[in-house]
């Protein structure tokens, strides 16, 4: 491998995490657009893509909301529970009701 190619490869690898973060933000922006248009299948796909890149628990809440609004209440329950696992106080309240 040529020295310039090795340096370029290392630079690309060093930038990869920020590229993923930007990509997650892009998916979230598209998801919100689809959500506002009530295009549930596309909103769900974008939220799931964002979550697969950056596992932000708040995105799980959004996924559950889209599942609920699209009529997939069973899927929404599982996703709400996944969200609640990250918040013990919320989980305790969830099971009390």
């Amino acid at each position: 491998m040529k020295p310039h190619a090795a340096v370029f490869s290392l630079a690309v690898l060093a930038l990869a995490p920020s590229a993923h973060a930007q990509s997650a933000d892009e998916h979230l922006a598209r998801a919100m657009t689809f959500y506002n248009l009530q295009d549930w299948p596309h909103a769900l796909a974008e939220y799931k893509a964002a979550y697969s890149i950056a596992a932000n628990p708040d995105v799980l809440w959004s996924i559950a909301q889209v599942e609920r609004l699209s009529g997939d209440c069973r899927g929404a329950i599982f996703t709400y529970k996944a969200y609640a696992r990250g918040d013990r106080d919320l989980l305790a309240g969830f099971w009390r009701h």
Side-chain angles (χ1 to χ4, degrees):
M1 180 180 271
K2 294 182 180 182
H4 295 338
V7 170
F8 178 75
S9 296
L10 290 174
V12 169
L13 289 174
L15 293 175
S18 63
H20 285 300
Q22 181 182 16
S23 180
D25 289 341
E26 290 171 359
H27 283 293
L28 288 173
R30 286 192 296 270
M32 183 57 76
T33 299
F34 288 127
Y35 184 95
N36 290 338
L37 294 171
Q38 298 179 8
D39 184 344
W40 310 129
H42 288 108
L44 185 59
E46 292 294 340
Y47 278 126
K48 285 184 175 184
Y51 187 77
S52 71
I53 294 169
N56 179 341
D58 292 337
V59 177
L60 282 176
W61 182 265
S62 297
I63 291 170
Q65 288 289 86
V66 171
E67 289 171 333
R68 179 183 64 83
L69 291 167
S70 69
D72 181 9
C73 295
R74 186 169 194 259
I77 290 169
F78 286 113
T79 308
Y80 284 128
K81 287 180 180 180
Y83 171 81
R85 280 193 296 270
D87 185 338
R88 293 293 171 202
D89 293 333
L90 178 66
L91 185 60
F94 183 78
W95 289 113
R96 277 193 293 256
H97 292 97

